[in-house]
Amino acid sequence: MDFTPHDDLAAHRDAARRWGAEHLRPEWVADERLRGDHHHAELHRLLADQGLLAAGWPPEHGGSAVDERFADAVFDEIHDYGLASDGWITTWMVLKTLQRVGTEEQKRAVIPAALRGEVIIALGYTEPGCGSDLAAARTRAVRAGDGWLIDGAKMFTSTADRATHVFLLTRTSAPKHRGLTFFLVPLDAPGVEIQPVHTVGGQRTNATFYSGVRVPDGARVGDVDGGWDVVRIAMVFERGTRNGNHRPGLLDRVVADRPDLLSDPGAAGTLARLRIDEEVARLLTARAEWITRNGGLPGVEGSMAKLYTSEAAQRQHSALLDLLGPEGVLDQRAPDAPVAGEVEFAFRNSLVDTIYGGTSEIMREIVAAGRLGLPRSRPAT
């Protein structure tokens, strides 16, 4: 595997830059940060209308003729511009999971609609008091005729206020790991309530509540009591995607804004180490994406990428704040904020990087067992 940017990809990067110059608007970034939304509806509609969401997907699932490499370059450009696309990232994770474990009806109905921008899916995993222990889920789903009734609560259901559906982990029987079942629940269903939760990173996430929510059995994803197998697949795709808070290009913008940093040997050394971090993170992520694109599941590779990239992002943003000094904590509303306040925003936003998608401790256990062959630190259940 060779992840060197070859000349045949340079054309896509140049085309993506031209696309960004034509379509991306600075007010979208400011609006997204001030409102705390990590999903911009106008941008999402644009990507859908131009077939960029559907790039690389098979025609039978609504795929477009857009070159997947160009679409990848466009998403890089969007990310580098300072815009998030969390709504699409979580939707993509669920669509990839449906490809593996969904019914034919779900594949025909949900995937094409999502690629057209009509369906956006949030993740309903974490519960109050359960932390990262997904197997401790208490949200109940019980049989009710030919469907199910769901009662419970989820925490950190990000983009639920913008989404159409939630990929909901529920408990359908008593055993901890073998009593879980997934459902794709419409967020406009009677009995669903969404309450905002504003975070120190500036993002709006949500608490969601489910009171007697009725869904048909066709909304079930995977086998009854087979949710643990489904979540293991879904988490592989989550960890194998690009970390949402890692900001390629931020180093260049800081140096362009403060070129005097390069004249200080200590500061220059720090910037060099951060650049190495960026390159290692890029290579690890590229390997996980390559495995996914070729039909594999990057289990250990995705965990390696998630672990390194999330910790590298925190190191980078903390170090840049130190280099910028007191001015570094100015946000975008301050006229003299370095890099328009992006470093301050990135630092706050990256605080949760090592928690989302599994903590660093869990990632280290997966790598230790799956790649190094070390024994598990606790017995499997």
Side-chain angles (χ1 to χ4, degrees), residues 135 171-181 224-230 232 381:
R171 180 156 301 285
T172 45
S173 65
K176 185 174 181 180
H177 287 80
R178 291 297 169 185
L180 301 169
T181 305
V224 175
D225 295 341
W228 192 247
D229 293 330
V230 176
R232 289 172 67 181
T381 56

Side-chain angles (χ1 to χ4, degrees), residues 141-225:
V142 297
R143 290 276 192 182
D146 58 354
W148 298 80
L149 281 177
I150 299 175
D151 291 275
K154 295 290 179 178
M155 190 63 177
F156 305 124
T157 321
S158 298
T159 70
D161 55 312
R162 297 278 176 169
T164 60
H165 293 73
V166 59
F167 190 49
L168 196 66
L169 179 64
T170 71
R171 180 156 301 285
T172 45
S173 65
K176 185 174 181 180
H177 287 80
R178 291 297 169 185
L180 301 169
T181 305
F182 268 100
F183 294 89
L184 197 57
V185 178
L187 283 166
D188 61 357
V192 176
E193 180 183 356
I194 302 171
Q195 294 184 2
V197 177
H198 297 284
T199 70
V200 69
Q203 181 181 8
R204 172 191 166 153
T205 185
N206 303 281
T208 51
F209 303 89
Y210 309 87
S211 179
V213 178
R214 183 179 292 272
V215 295
D217 191 55
R220 174 171 49 83
V221 179
D223 295 334
V224 175
D225 295 341

Side-chain angles (χ1 to χ4, degrees), residues 87-142:
W88 172 241
I89 290 172
T90 55
T91 301
W92 180 89
M93 295 173 195
V94 177
L95 299 187
K96 283 295 184 180
T97 304
L98 289 178
Q99 273 193 317
R100 297 268 178 170
V101 300
T103 65
E104 289 305 312
E105 175 58 28
Q106 288 167 345
K107 294 174 186 177
R108 288 194 302 268
V110 178
I111 296 178
L115 300 183
R116 293 193 301 267
E118 299 165 4
V119 168
I120 300 170
I121 308 171
L123 303 181
Y125 296 170
T126 305
E127 297 194 3
C130 293
S132 297
D133 187 4
L134 299 186
R138 295 189 294 265
T139 294
R140 296 287 304 182
V142 297

Side-chain angles (χ1 to χ4, degrees), residues 333-378:
R333 294 167 295 186
D336 297 329
V339 203
E342 187 170 352
V343 174
E344 183 273 343
F345 175 80
F347 175 79
R348 286 188 291 109
N349 209 232
S350 67
L351 293 175
V352 294
D353 280 1
T354 51
I355 300 174
Y356 283 167
T359 64
S360 290
E361 291 76 13
I362 292 174
M363 296 303 101
R364 287 187 172 90
E365 286 190 358
I366 292 172
V367 174
R371 179 54 52 86
L372 303 178
L374 299 176
R376 292 174 59 91
S377 62
R378 56 182 180 271

Side-chain angles (χ1 to χ4, degrees), residues 283-308:
L283 290 172
L284 289 171
T285 302
R287 179 169 60 173
E289 291 177 343
W290 181 87
I291 293 170
T292 299
R293 186 167 297 172
N294 285 274
L297 281 174
V300 175
E301 295 83 3
S303 295
M304 292 167 64
K306 193 270 177 187
L307 171 64
Y308 193 94

